[in-house]
Amino acid sequence: MATATLLQPARASTSTTSSFEPLGRTNTFGSHDGTRSLRTSTKRASMTALLVSMSSKDQDMQISDELARAQVILRMLKKKISDQSKKNFVLEKDVRYLDSRIALLIQNRMAQEEQNEVASHLYDTAELQQGSFPNDEKTQRYGNLLFLLQSEPRHIAQLCRLVSMAEIDSLLQTVMFTVYGNQYESREEHLLLTMFQSVLTHQFDTTPEYANLLRQNTPVSRMMTTYTRRGPGQSYLKEVLAKRINSLIENDKRDLEINPLKVYENMVREIEDSGNELPENMPRAVTAEYAAEHVEVQNIIAPRLQTLTQLAEGVLDEIISAVEAAPYGIRWICKSIRNLSRRKYPDAQDSAICTLIGGFFFLRFINPAIVTPKSYMLIEKIPSEKPKRTLTYIAKMLQNLANKPLYAKEPYMAKLQPFIERNKDRCNNFMLDLCEVQDFYESLEMDTYVALSKRDIELNISLNEVYATHELLEKHKTALVRGEDSNLGLLLRELGPAPPQLPRKDNRAIILPLFSRFETSFDDLTQQLDITQEEVLFLEAKNTFVQIIRSLPP
């Protein structure tokens, strides 16, 4: 079933072709009333009926066997994880907001009303109350708009490229955790990944220098980081990193500082704290170069380098051995980076491509969790200074392993070069293995048929999220709307100007029914998903060929 794709992601070594016959691209479905076109074949109708019946919520109340009950509980737990991921993201966004406002407050550059707004953020942590739109007409039009945005990711993909850094967090909150907020449902996950493909393709096409790809802090890079904070990514990090990190921070007395200047300063401090005089050959203030040449400093650092190498290799072992546990979406983004790199730079070596993959997987996914494990719920309390510094070193070592190491700012890190040389090849092989996942376009097409015939697709969303999305669409309407007959343009004209943001105390959570009011031709499906029919045919042919090869005797 398509719905099982995310729960047990297909890997290159275990992938199977769909048991359903591939769908054609010529039939049409009607809008919300379920009316079918006269051209719809009996086979296609029976397939849709089968899939809809299999996903029906009405069957949940009639289940009797333990496996089915466990599946219901699993769905409930996954929903809780999805909801918690959104809450965590909102809290992080508020923390960034508070950091910026407190900095102004310290400088006495904030007006009284702004101070009151900051105070409201500090104390307002209650759950939103349930509410609704003032009338059914608004509900229907916003339901049409959000269904269109969800089912045609190219609109959101283009919007993500147009917004500023100041606007991106609010948009990402709505996109990642609301519009595609069901993080364990295959259709929403695959649509979100399709949006990523569009954004990444544009990024590759418009970045002239290979060295600058995916490096700058842009809305696209923020988007990729935010994606890793969804439930499947968090579960993977806990499974792979939590035990190692908890073991490391328990030893809070172990000092693994290898910066020679800091080691030297600690030596001076210890001598003075003990009440002794500093030796004549040991001045209090020295340069980094002098400290690096000091024999006693070198003797202290040498065993620490060995310990750091052992710790970093232990973490790396855990990551490499868990390649099959990595979330499907994370792996698919790695695969897209590899494929786009090979398309734009056919002569690029795998080692160069792996630096781009590592820039996403390690820099934006693994390393933030290692440096700030409390934020990722990997540990119970914030680590003390010495373990925190050790975690930072491990993250730097992994980043240098994934990328070409540069030691200009921290020359003492060059002492860890043997770790890079010993593990570079297996790290690159791991990143290439990450890319070996099956594509999802065929199952997404089936899921899209089902979605058009269902009447129970709902979105849990706040009024301010709806209004903020509407405002961004209105602001960038000229770039987003293509032609007078654009469905998006029609919906925006009917909705009119976006309402202003509500005060936090007046914001409400609503359940918005989603449905399409437009006749949808599946000849245009690949255009809606922003992929070409040639790409789909190529992938289908490739998957068939792989199955044939795997069916041959050894």
Side-chain angles (χ1 to χ4, degrees), residues 35-60:
T35 305
R36 291 175 173 79
S37 164
L38 294 175
R39 293 174 292 164
T40 306
S41 67
T42 304
K43 178 175 67 175
R44 190 98 352 87
S46 64
M47 178 184 289
T48 302
L50 173 63
L51 291 172
V52 173
S53 67
M54 291 170 71
S55 62
S56 174
K57 291 182 179 179
D58 295 337
Q59 296 180 1
D60 286 350

Side-chain angles (χ1 to χ4, degrees), residues 253-271 282 291-308 386 393 412 415-416:
K253 302 297 183 185
R254 180 169 56 186
D255 188 355
L256 295 179
E257 180 60 68
I258 60 170
N259 182 338
L261 189 57
K262 290 188 175 182
V263 172
Y264 185 92
E265 290 171 349
N266 286 339
M267 288 171 52
V268 170
R269 191 178 303 113
E270 288 175 3
I271 293 172
M282 197 171 181
E293 295 296 327
H294 197 279
V295 175
E296 195 169 344
V297 170
Q298 294 175 351
N299 292 337
I300 292 173
I301 289 177
R304 294 180 179 181
L305 293 171
Q306 293 180 358
T307 305
L308 277 175
K386 289 177 181 176
Y393 274 129
Y412 55 88
K415 296 280 188 181
L416 292 163

